[in-house]
Amino acid sequence: MSHGNEQIFNPAERVAKISHCSSMEQYKQMYDKSLKDPEAFWGDIAKNFHFEQNVTGKFMDYNFDISKGKIFIRWMEGAKTNICYNCLDRHVLAGKGDQVAFYWEGNDPADAEVVTYGELLKEVCRVANVLKAKGVAKGDRVAIYMPMIKELVVAMLAVARIGAVHSIVFGGYSADSLADRMLDAQASVLITADAVWRGAKLIALKEIADDALKVCQAKNVKVKMSLVVQHMKNVTAPQASSNGTANGNPSKKTHFDDKGNFKVGWNSGLDVWWHEAVKDVSSDCPPEWMDTEDPLFMLYTSGSTGKPKGVLHTVGGYMLYAATTFKYTFDYHPDDVYFCTADIGWITGHTYVTYGPMLNNATSVLFEGVPTYPHIGRFWEIIKKYKVSKFYTAPTAIRALMKFGDEPVKKYDISSLSVLGSVGEPINPEAWMWYYQIVGDSNVSIADTFWQTETGGHVITPLPGATPTKPGSACFPFFGVEVALLDDEGKEVKGEGEGYLVFRRPWPGIMRTVYGNHERFETTYFKKFPGFYCTGDGARRDKDGYIWVTGRIDDMLNVSGHLLSTAQVESALVEHPAVAESAVVARPHAVKGECLYCYVTLAEGNDFTEKLIVELRNKVRTKIGAFATPDYMQLAPGLPKTRSGKIMRRVLRKVAVGDRDFGDISTLADPSIVEVLFQHRPKEGKV
Ligand code: PRX
């Protein structure tokens, strides 16, 4: 990405005027305190929450140095709390039960609903009681595979209320991916919905979930219940086109009966309708008081070996961190309306749709649809409708909407906006400027938030009332986070310079382990540089101390803000009998940030036909999910390997973009393969 734009933008005055942190002096003071005396800093924050029992042991204890023994992180030893209680009961008891928690905005603009904190508490208790009646207890894993509806929020909070562990799988994942995650977690219950419209596309969630359940059954993992929300009957279907299908979508024909009702398959021993299950159930359910280090949830993220890792977060530290980052990064105030467009199936949705906002008693928009349906101005229309003041989205969405020019934004009065957040990947300065000038009318603060599934919440971010921002830089560390840059040898790069982005100590929201595999946790994050948590990203510090995250330096790639490992895609491709070997690299993409460029070497006797290309793309879709569909598929009669057999990915990345400047290739076993690969490049724009 370009580092060209180092123009400085001061915080918007209207934000700074009322901000929780309104100057760099204040930021520095708070930041210093958070490092010098974490107990006092986080202890003060903890006072805003309900703890059934206070800390009895050490406030913070950890080992980050693998050479000294096992890695561990513990916060607030001995304290007991419940995050659901803090998201709901605490506010209701304070008289805020009638406050709107979510404005639910459906895929179709005709579908909208309002839900208050008080209503949510009742529904959460009912579902918690349903789960308890099925024998779900503290520590049990509950898989959730749902659309962006209020029942998804209810489900996760209900699980948390009874001390079980939620494992949410994004609704765009395939049956295989869902099954892998359920098996790894040994989930005993699944919560899903019949289906959902995303834009004009139908996603038959239950059908996919049923396929996943079959895989679980075959592997002898006993699932006790599949709790199903009947969502389709409450929503407006996309306009039917003349051939009777929804915008040409054939699923409209196969999934609906003559009366237009959505059809679902039913396993009577297993499936339970949500609305029937909660009907006569008590709306009173006392929370389970949890140790602060008890697990709250796991969320799978890609791992460089191809097998996803169950990132595990615990109750107490995550709660403090989600709440505090939300409050400061978006500079949240009680009259704000906040809108985060991320799906709850990703970490951004966990922390900044559900927990962060709800812990702050915020009012948010919960959006089911996509930015371009039914028209390209949908985000702006929603912002106008609810007078959204704080908005949080991904660079890929900004770039996609930028393509349509300024006019679709200018059509709506969105002057209520005062803070605009960005997340998921480096934001290029051009997109940053458009976000600032066109969406924000140059009268907002931009927060480019760097973080990871593993970090639980923002770790490097500007604060909108304090930090003068530079387009493309995530600026400075959040409270409690100590950043360092290291060179290849592990030597610290001080001052201006570039290196591996690492953290020297834990903050409350950092992950505690990889579910069921602590060794993998230690190896992945702590082995490379003893004494540091290694992010896997590279970063540069400029002369003013600003951090510029430059992207992954491992075999991960970031497609539309979704992290994938090349190994994960390669293993999907080689499952096809025609493929002998494959290598996948990232290629820059104008909207997605990066896209998948796949090289395949075929087994003897196979031809690289259009049909095969389609099959290979489908293979990736069914193994991972549609969002991972490769953009490029290229025949590779051979791969560029060193004499020791290691694929030189640097060369593949160059071939992918048609760049012949690949530097030293003298260590390749057969340097002539590079020219061969060049000759096989697909025509631009064609897979
Ligand atoms: O490479 C970084 C990139 O996204 C990765 C984390 O992905 P994931 O765990 O899926 O979480 C995404 C949402 C937090 C990081 O290692 N990344 C995320 N935010 C930024 C970013 N890169 C640059 N700038 C950001 N603001």
Side-chain angles (χ1 to χ4, degrees):
M1 63 178 270
S2 129
H3 291 142
N5 195 338
E6 295 217 355
Q7 207 182 341
I8 293 196
F9 293 83
N10 284 317
E13 219 180 283
R14 58 185 176 147
V15 179
K17 224 166 46 193
I18 53 161
S19 177
H20 299 299
C21 180
S22 54
S23 67
M24 280 309 274
E25 288 68 43
Q26 193 185 348
Y27 160 73
K28 284 189 182 124
Q29 207 181 24
M30 290 176 74
Y31 180 69
D32 287 347
K33 182 176 173 187
S34 75
L35 294 194
K36 281 202 189 100
D37 195 351
E39 175 164 356
F41 185 86
W42 294 106
D44 277 349
I45 288 172
K47 286 180 192 146
N48 299 316
F49 298 90
H50 176 83
F51 284 85
E52 188 67 6
Q53 184 179 301
N54 288 328
V55 179
T56 55
K58 284 190 179 163
F59 197 88
M60 173 180 78
D61 195 12
Y62 70 97
N63 174 40
F64 256 31
D65 189 343
I66 199 162
S67 66
K68 294 195 177 132
K70 199 172 151 147
I71 302 293
F72 72 90
I73 301 137
R74 282 195 289 269
W75 284 79
M76 295 182 285
E77 210 179 316
K80 285 190 185 293
T81 188
N82 182 289
I83 197 167
C84 173
Y85 184 94
N86 277 287
C87 285
L88 292 171
D89 308 54
R90 190 167 55 98
H91 307 312
V92 173
L93 290 169
K96 303 279 181 54
D98 291 336
Q99 191 186 313
V100 174
F102 291 103
Y103 292 112
W104 179 75
E105 177 78 13
N107 181 59
D108 191 288
D111 302 333
E113 223 180 288
V114 179
V115 58
T116 66
Y117 276 86
E119 288 162 351
L120 277 179
L121 175 58
K122 287 197 178 129
E123 186 76 353
V124 164
C125 286
R126 285 191 200 101
V127 174
N129 282 327
V130 169
L131 295 172
K132 271 166 84 171
K134 266 284 162 194
V136 179
K138 183 175 170 180
D140 290 350
R141 277 80 52 215
V142 175
I144 299 180
Y145 185 65
M146 288 172 84
M148 286 287 281
I149 53 179
K150 75 166 199 293
E151 287 83 353
L152 170 51
V153 175
V154 170
M156 64 201 290
L157 291 176
V159 170
R161 190 170 190 86
I162 61 170
V165 180
H166 57 72
S167 169
I168 305 183
V169 179
F170 169 59
Y173 273 113
S174 65
D176 282 358
S177 291
L178 174 59
D180 284 349
R181 284 156 180 73
M182 288 185 66
L183 289 169
D184 186 77
Q186 301 271 303
S188 60
V189 163
L190 172 68
I191 309 182
T192 187
D194 48 5
V196 63
W197 291 107
R198 276 181 70 76
K201 213 170 127 207
L202 181 77
I203 302 175
L205 291 167
K206 183 169 189 303
E207 194 175 284
I208 302 167
D210 285 348
D211 286 343
L213 286 168
K214 275 184 215 137
V215 178
C216 292
Q217 220 163 23
K219 298 251 163 90
N220 276 330
V221 169
K222 175 111 185 67
V223 177
K224 294 190 229 175
M225 171 171 70
S226 170
L227 188 62
V228 188
V229 175
Q230 191 176 35
H231 179 55
M232 291 304 277
K233 85 176 200 333
N234 301 323
V235 297
T236 311
Q239 285 278 303
S241 63
S242 52
N243 61 6
T245 63
N247 291 359
N249 187 334
S251 51
K252 187 93 212 262
K253 264 190 186 149
T254 50
H255 285 91
F256 292 82
D257 67 17
D258 296 345
K259 296 197 186 88
N261 296 316
F262 184 74
K263 296 190 287 193
V264 279
W266 204 251
N267 303 314
S268 43
L270 187 66
D271 295 341
V272 178
W273 282 118
W274 170 299
H275 59 277
E276 287 175 4
V278 298
K279 212 163 43 197
D280 299 312
V281 173
S282 161
S283 60
D284 182 33
C285 175
E288 181 79 29
W289 297 115
M290 307 288 285
D291 284 338
T292 46
E293 287 302 337
D294 280 335
L296 170 64
F297 67 82
M298 51 215 273
L299 180 58
Y300 286 85
T301 189
S302 296
S304 54
T305 59
K307 186 175 152 43
K309 305 179 282 263
V311 169
L312 189 104
H313 284 284
T314 55
V315 175
Y318 176 82
M319 177 170 87
L320 292 194
Y321 205 67
T324 311
T325 47
F326 176 78
K327 174 176 166 183
Y328 285 96
T329 303
F330 301 112
D331 207 58
Y332 171 74
H333 293 274
D335 52 355
D336 276 325
V337 178
Y338 165 82
F339 176 17
C340 168
T341 68
D343 194 286
I344 290 177
W346 306 110
I347 190 68
T348 305
H350 280 60
T351 308
Y352 300 112
V353 176
T354 303
Y355 290 115
M358 295 194 73
L359 287 164
N360 282 280
N361 195 203
T363 295
S364 309
V365 174
L366 180 67
F367 179 41
E368 180 185 47
V370 296
T372 49
Y373 181 86
H375 58 79
I376 53 171
R378 191 72 197 280
F379 276 174
W380 326 124
E381 184 180 61
I382 295 172
I383 291 168
K384 174 172 181 266
K385 177 173 173 188
Y386 298 105
K387 298 199 170 45
V388 171
S389 49
K390 310 284 162 76
F391 180 60
Y392 195 27
T393 196
T396 185
I398 300 168
R399 287 190 297 264
L401 295 171
M402 233 172 112
K403 281 196 315 195
F404 302 113
D406 307 349
E407 188 267 338
V409 188
K410 295 288 172 204
K411 243 171 79 182
Y412 300 92
D413 176 3
I414 53 171
S415 56
S416 52
L417 290 173
S418 65
V419 175
L420 302 179
S422 167
V423 59
E425 54 181 310
I427 178 164
N428 48 312
E430 300 70 30
W432 195 104
M433 287 305 293
W434 189 80
Y435 203 27
Y436 178 76
Q437 293 176 327
I438 306 307
V439 180
D441 201 20
S442 306
N443 189 18
V444 290
S445 294
I446 303 268
D448 171 5
T449 61
F450 168 83
W451 60 298
Q452 307 177 300
T453 304
E454 294 88 337
T455 69
H458 309 140
V459 280
I460 305 179
T461 178
L463 298 185
T467 317
T469 47
K470 297 184 184 186
S473 168
C475 300
F476 303 109
F478 192 75
F479 307 133
V481 175
E482 198 180 355
V483 172
L485 301 182
L486 303 181
D487 69 12
D488 270 322
E489 275 76 54
K491 217 170 117 264
E492 190 165 351
V493 179
K494 299 230 163 128
E496 234 182 307
E498 199 159 341
Y500 291 86
L501 176 64
V502 300
F503 300 117
R504 201 192 293 277
R505 56 157 94 194
W507 54 96
I510 188 178
M511 72 184 289
R512 301 303 198 256
T513 190
V514 168
Y515 182 78
N517 196 346
H518 195 69
E519 199 187 322
R520 188 166 180 207
F521 170 61
E522 297 180 323
T523 318
T524 311
Y525 304 103
F526 295 94
K527 199 162 170 195
K528 195 171 173 71
F529 301 117
F532 297 91
Y533 166 90
C534 187
T535 59
D537 285 294
R540 177 175 76 95
R541 190 189 290 110
D542 72 13
K543 62 183 189 321
D544 303 319
Y546 283 70
I547 304 286
W548 300 72
V549 179
T550 45
R552 303 295 304 188
I553 38 185
D554 50 15
D555 288 337
M556 305 284 210
L557 66 159
N558 195 321
V559 179
S560 303
H562 306 318
L563 209 56
L564 291 166
S565 74
T566 52
Q568 202 181 354
V569 181
E570 287 160 6
S571 68
L573 290 170
V574 295
E575 275 192 13
H576 193 290
V579 177
E581 196 175 11
S582 91
V584 174
V585 295
R587 184 189 198 272
H589 185 282
V591 173
K592 299 180 186 181
E594 291 183 328
C595 68
L596 290 161
Y597 193 107
C598 308
Y599 294 87
V600 288
T601 306
L602 299 183
E604 276 298 309
N606 289 286
D607 290 328
F608 194 63
T609 57
E610 286 295 329
K611 182 169 162 279
L612 177 63
I613 293 172
V614 171
E615 284 172 19
L616 292 176
R617 296 179 84 215
N618 284 340
K619 192 85 201 164
V620 179
R621 289 167 74 98
T622 48
K623 287 305 289 181
I624 305 173
F627 65 93
T629 309
D631 279 43
Y632 297 88
M633 199 67 72
Q634 156 164 5
L635 177 67
L639 289 167
K641 290 184 185 169
T642 60
R643 278 178 206 97
S644 61
K646 197 168 167 5
I647 296 171
M648 214 185 257
R649 286 170 189 279
R650 164 169 72 79
V651 170
L652 294 176
R653 282 192 282 269
K654 290 283 184 183
V655 175
V657 292
D659 181 355
R660 284 178 187 273
D661 182 16
F662 24 71
D664 181 16
I665 50 166
S666 59
T667 56
L668 283 182
D670 172 16
S672 72
I673 194 66
V674 178
E675 192 46 47
V676 176
L677 287 174
F678 252 99
Q679 282 159 15
H680 283 89
R681 290 184 75 240
K683 300 241 172 344
E684 279 306 312
K686 250 199 90 190
V687 174

